[in-house]
mmCIF file of all heavy atoms in Angstrom:
data_model
loop_
_atom_site.group_PDB
_atom_site.id
_atom_site.type_symbol
_atom_site.label_atom_id
_atom_site.label_comp_id
_atom_site.label_asym_id
_atom_site.label_seq_id
_atom_site.Cartn_x
_atom_site.Cartn_y
_atom_site.Cartn_z
ATOM 1 N N PRO A 657 32.442 2.796 2.685
ATOM 2 C CA PRO A 657 33.340 2.833 1.413
ATOM 3 C C PRO A 657 32.618 3.309 0.246
ATOM 4 O O PRO A 657 33.343 3.503 -0.783
ATOM 5 C CB PRO A 657 33.607 1.384 1.328
ATOM 6 C CG PRO A 657 32.427 0.667 1.820
ATOM 7 C CD PRO A 657 32.010 1.486 3.013
ATOM 8 N N GLN A 658 31.349 3.786 0.195
ATOM 9 C CA GLN A 658 30.818 3.983 -1.150
ATOM 10 C C GLN A 658 31.446 5.280 -1.768
ATOM 11 O O GLN A 658 31.624 5.287 -2.913
ATOM 12 C CB GLN A 658 29.205 4.312 -0.982
ATOM 13 C CG GLN A 658 28.666 4.396 -2.395
ATOM 14 C CD GLN A 658 27.228 4.728 -2.395
ATOM 15 O OE1 GLN A 658 26.322 4.175 -1.527
ATOM 16 N NE2 GLN A 658 26.707 5.487 -3.287
ATOM 17 N N GLY A 659 31.768 6.159 -0.996
ATOM 18 C CA GLY A 659 32.340 7.418 -1.458
ATOM 19 C C GLY A 659 33.781 7.001 -2.129
ATOM 20 O O GLY A 659 34.087 7.581 -3.283
ATOM 21 N N ALA A 660 34.497 6.160 -1.514
ATOM 22 C CA ALA A 660 35.782 5.715 -2.084
ATOM 23 C C ALA A 660 35.605 4.884 -3.272
ATOM 24 O O ALA A 660 36.356 4.941 -4.324
ATOM 25 C CB ALA A 660 36.509 4.971 -1.025
ATOM 26 N N ILE A 661 34.642 4.026 -3.307
ATOM 27 C CA ILE A 661 34.278 3.207 -4.490
ATOM 28 C C ILE A 661 33.987 4.065 -5.680
ATOM 29 O O ILE A 661 34.378 3.825 -6.859
ATOM 30 C CB ILE A 661 33.218 2.237 -4.233
ATOM 31 C CG1 ILE A 661 33.559 1.206 -3.257
ATOM 32 C CG2 ILE A 661 32.620 1.559 -5.509
ATOM 33 C CD1 ILE A 661 32.434 0.373 -2.575
ATOM 34 N N MET A 662 33.250 5.131 -5.497
ATOM 35 C CA MET A 662 32.861 6.022 -6.571
ATOM 36 C C MET A 662 34.093 6.807 -7.082
ATOM 37 O O MET A 662 34.177 7.077 -8.268
ATOM 38 C CB MET A 662 31.818 7.042 -6.068
ATOM 39 C CG MET A 662 30.339 6.405 -5.806
ATOM 40 S SD MET A 662 29.064 7.475 -5.574
ATOM 41 C CE MET A 662 29.665 8.478 -4.304
ATOM 42 N N MET A 663 35.015 7.172 -6.174
ATOM 43 C CA MET A 663 36.255 7.720 -6.520
ATOM 44 C C MET A 663 37.098 6.766 -7.503
ATOM 45 O O MET A 663 37.597 7.180 -8.594
ATOM 46 C CB MET A 663 37.106 8.069 -5.328
ATOM 47 C CG MET A 663 38.510 8.747 -5.655
ATOM 48 S SD MET A 663 39.811 7.519 -5.918
ATOM 49 C CE MET A 663 39.943 6.790 -4.286
ATOM 50 N N VAL A 664 37.030 5.427 -7.108
ATOM 51 C CA VAL A 664 37.745 4.496 -8.045
ATOM 52 C C VAL A 664 37.131 4.358 -9.407
ATOM 53 O O VAL A 664 37.752 4.393 -10.338
ATOM 54 C CB VAL A 664 37.763 3.049 -7.225
ATOM 55 C CG1 VAL A 664 38.203 1.996 -8.256
ATOM 56 C CG2 VAL A 664 38.621 3.204 -5.952
ATOM 57 N N ALA A 665 35.835 4.548 -9.266
ATOM 58 C CA ALA A 665 35.072 4.488 -10.579
ATOM 59 C C ALA A 665 35.304 5.608 -11.482
ATOM 60 O O ALA A 665 35.529 5.453 -12.742
ATOM 61 C CB ALA A 665 33.640 4.233 -10.355
ATOM 62 N N GLU A 666 35.399 6.768 -10.847
ATOM 63 C CA GLU A 666 35.633 8.002 -11.628
ATOM 64 C C GLU A 666 37.044 7.954 -12.299
ATOM 65 O O GLU A 666 37.250 8.264 -13.478
ATOM 66 C CB GLU A 666 35.560 9.313 -10.628
ATOM 67 C CG GLU A 666 34.264 9.662 -10.223
ATOM 68 C CD GLU A 666 33.519 10.591 -11.410
ATOM 69 O OE1 GLU A 666 33.970 10.482 -12.460
ATOM 70 O OE2 GLU A 666 32.415 11.229 -10.996
ATOM 71 N N LYS A 667 38.001 7.421 -11.412
ATOM 72 C CA LYS A 667 39.422 7.428 -11.838
ATOM 73 C C LYS A 667 39.506 6.372 -12.883
ATOM 74 O O LYS A 667 40.280 6.566 -13.963
ATOM 75 C CB LYS A 667 40.336 7.187 -10.627
ATOM 76 C CG LYS A 667 41.638 7.536 -10.787
ATOM 77 C CD LYS A 667 42.392 7.721 -9.370
ATOM 78 C CE LYS A 667 43.745 8.299 -9.509
ATOM 79 N NZ LYS A 667 44.372 8.559 -8.205
ATOM 80 N N GLY A 668 38.833 5.219 -12.767
ATOM 81 C CA GLY A 668 38.929 4.126 -13.705
ATOM 82 C C GLY A 668 38.453 4.676 -15.096
ATOM 83 O O GLY A 668 38.897 4.270 -16.165
ATOM 84 N N ALA A 669 37.254 5.328 -15.091
ATOM 85 C CA ALA A 669 36.670 5.859 -16.346
ATOM 86 C C ALA A 669 37.581 6.791 -16.972
ATOM 87 O O ALA A 669 37.734 6.871 -18.155
ATOM 88 C CB ALA A 669 35.303 6.507 -16.039
ATOM 89 N N ASP A 670 38.346 7.633 -16.144
ATOM 90 C CA ASP A 670 39.339 8.717 -16.758
ATOM 91 C C ASP A 670 40.564 7.782 -17.344
ATOM 92 O O ASP A 670 40.943 8.241 -18.336
ATOM 93 C CB ASP A 670 39.761 9.573 -15.614
ATOM 94 C CG ASP A 670 40.633 10.664 -15.956
ATOM 95 O OD1 ASP A 670 40.025 11.478 -16.803
ATOM 96 O OD2 ASP A 670 41.808 10.695 -15.777
ATOM 97 N N PHE A 671 40.886 6.825 -16.759
ATOM 98 C CA PHE A 671 42.051 5.980 -17.276
ATOM 99 C C PHE A 671 41.568 5.475 -18.663
ATOM 100 O O PHE A 671 42.420 5.565 -19.602
ATOM 101 C CB PHE A 671 42.392 4.854 -16.376
ATOM 102 C CG PHE A 671 43.139 5.147 -15.035
ATOM 103 C CD1 PHE A 671 42.823 4.447 -14.020
ATOM 104 C CD2 PHE A 671 44.030 6.085 -15.153
ATOM 105 C CE1 PHE A 671 43.578 4.647 -12.680
ATOM 106 C CE2 PHE A 671 44.780 6.364 -13.948
ATOM 107 C CZ PHE A 671 44.432 5.773 -12.728
ATOM 108 N N ILE A 672 40.376 4.997 -18.783
ATOM 109 C CA ILE A 672 39.876 4.498 -20.034
ATOM 110 C C ILE A 672 39.791 5.578 -21.072
ATOM 111 O O ILE A 672 40.359 5.441 -22.277
ATOM 112 C CB ILE A 672 38.542 3.870 -19.878
ATOM 113 C CG1 ILE A 672 38.628 2.567 -18.962
ATOM 114 C CG2 ILE A 672 37.784 3.517 -21.221
ATOM 115 C CD1 ILE A 672 37.219 1.969 -18.630
ATOM 116 N N LYS A 673 39.288 6.716 -20.687
ATOM 117 C CA LYS A 673 39.101 7.827 -21.664
ATOM 118 C C LYS A 673 40.515 8.312 -22.149
ATOM 119 O O LYS A 673 40.765 8.535 -23.398
ATOM 120 C CB LYS A 673 38.458 9.026 -20.947
ATOM 121 C CG LYS A 673 36.962 8.741 -20.871
ATOM 122 C CD LYS A 673 36.292 9.942 -20.150
ATOM 123 C CE LYS A 673 34.854 9.785 -19.944
ATOM 124 N NZ LYS A 673 34.219 11.029 -19.258
ATOM 125 N N GLN A 674 41.456 8.389 -21.159
ATOM 126 C CA GLN A 674 42.801 8.800 -21.596
ATOM 127 C C GLN A 674 43.428 7.832 -22.505
ATOM 128 O O GLN A 674 44.164 8.247 -23.520
ATOM 129 C CB GLN A 674 43.609 9.034 -20.384
ATOM 130 C CG GLN A 674 43.327 10.206 -19.531
ATOM 131 C CD GLN A 674 44.325 10.407 -18.377
ATOM 132 O OE1 GLN A 674 45.581 10.250 -18.554
ATOM 133 N NE2 GLN A 674 43.937 10.664 -17.232
ATOM 134 N N TYR A 675 43.289 6.542 -22.309
ATOM 135 C CA TYR A 675 43.931 5.557 -23.116
ATOM 136 C C TYR A 675 43.436 5.504 -24.512
ATOM 137 O O TYR A 675 44.260 5.531 -25.495
ATOM 138 C CB TYR A 675 43.747 4.114 -22.450
ATOM 139 C CG TYR A 675 44.367 3.023 -23.417
ATOM 140 C CD1 TYR A 675 45.626 2.807 -23.320
ATOM 141 C CD2 TYR A 675 43.377 2.314 -24.218
ATOM 142 C CE1 TYR A 675 46.120 1.769 -24.086
ATOM 143 C CE2 TYR A 675 43.945 1.352 -25.114
ATOM 144 C CZ TYR A 675 45.250 1.135 -25.065
ATOM 145 O OH TYR A 675 45.777 0.047 -25.907
ATOM 146 N N TRP A 676 42.087 5.589 -24.630
ATOM 147 C CA TRP A 676 41.529 5.446 -25.897
ATOM 148 C C TRP A 676 41.578 6.752 -26.697
ATOM 149 O O TRP A 676 41.692 6.720 -27.950
ATOM 150 C CB TRP A 676 40.055 4.933 -25.866
ATOM 151 C CG TRP A 676 40.128 3.419 -25.550
ATOM 152 C CD1 TRP A 676 39.787 3.067 -24.244
ATOM 153 C CD2 TRP A 676 40.457 2.364 -26.395
ATOM 154 N NE1 TRP A 676 40.008 1.603 -24.411
ATOM 155 C CE2 TRP A 676 40.394 1.154 -25.678
ATOM 156 C CE3 TRP A 676 40.789 2.356 -27.740
ATOM 157 C CZ2 TRP A 676 40.685 0.081 -26.191
ATOM 158 C CZ3 TRP A 676 41.115 1.096 -28.289
ATOM 159 C CH2 TRP A 676 40.986 -0.032 -27.528
ATOM 160 N N SER A 677 41.643 7.860 -26.057
ATOM 161 C CA SER A 677 41.945 9.133 -26.630
ATOM 162 C C SER A 677 43.415 9.130 -27.241
ATOM 163 O O SER A 677 43.647 9.551 -28.433
ATOM 164 C CB SER A 677 41.780 10.299 -25.709
ATOM 165 O OG SER A 677 42.275 11.537 -26.285
#
Side-chain angles (χ1 to χ4, degrees):
Q658 186 179 326
I661 292 169
M662 294 191 303
M663 178 275 291
V664 170
E666 288 279 19
K667 205 159 186 174
D670 189 66
F671 287 143
I672 293 171
K673 289 179 178 180
Q674 288 188 43
Y675 175 82
W676 287 103
S677 174

